[in-house]
Structure formats: C-alpha cells, structure tokens
C-alpha cells in the first residue's frame, strides 16, 4: 500500500529537482522517494542517538569504559 504526503520545497530545490527529472526522464516523485528512503535510516539513527545521549547526560543511562567491559568479560591483559 502506498500513502501520499505533501512536501513543500524551497524554489531553488524544486527547480533542481525538475531539471534532474527532465534530464533523466524520471519523475520528481521518484527522486523525492529515493532521497527519503536513502536518508531515513540516518535520520532515525541520529534521533535515537540524541535520545540516548540525553538519558546519559541526565544519569538515566549507564555507560561503561572499554577497560570495564574487557575486565568483566575476562579479556583484560
């Protein structure tokens, strides 16, 4: 199933997108979908990392040094 969403772009971005579309014979929608799919994982990762960092800063998330992990796993020299 495909859902639709309206996207507002700055004039310059839209002009570049239309130019790319006309040069390649693909639709602007194709390139918008490609861009979203390509970068959505990165945006999700950034958002989740920011949430974890906030928990670390507020003391809600515990951290461990490499030395601690190696020691706990019996890997310390």
């Amino acid at each position: 199933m495909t859902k639709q969403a309206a996207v507002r772009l700055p004039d310059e971005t839209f002009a570049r997108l239309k130019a790319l579309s006309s040069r390649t014979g693909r639709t602007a929608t194709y390139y918008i979908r490609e861009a979203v799919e390509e970068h959505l994982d990165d945006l999700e990762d950034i958002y989740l990392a920011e949430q974890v960092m906030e928990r670390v800063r507020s003391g809600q998330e515990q951290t461990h040094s490499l030395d601690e992990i190696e020691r706990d796993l019996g890997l310390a020299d």
Side-chain angles (χ1 to χ4, degrees):
M1 174 177 270
T2 301
K3 299 285 184 184
Q4 292 184 4
V7 177
R8 293 187 187 272
L9 299 172
D11 290 342
E12 181 182 337
T13 302
F14 185 69
R16 290 175 60 199
L17 185 59
K18 293 302 282 182
L20 177 61
S21 273
S22 67
R23 287 193 309 265
T24 62
R26 298 213 183 240
T27 65
T29 300
Y30 170 84
Y31 288 112
I32 292 169
R33 184 175 29 263
E34 286 291 305
V36 169
E37 290 175 358
E38 176 72 23
H39 296 286
L40 190 55
D41 285 341
D42 293 338
L43 293 172
E44 289 170 334
D45 289 346
I46 290 167
Y47 177 75
L48 293 173
E50 288 172 349
Q51 288 182 322
V52 171
M53 286 305 301
E54 185 55 39
R55 291 195 308 268
V56 168
R57 286 186 195 107
S58 69
Q60 297 172 338
E61 188 86 22
Q62 194 174 26
T63 62
H64 303 278
S65 70
L66 179 58
D67 289 337
E68 291 172 318
I69 293 170
E70 287 176 339
R71 184 191 66 235
D72 292 349
L73 294 175
L75 302 173
D77 291 329

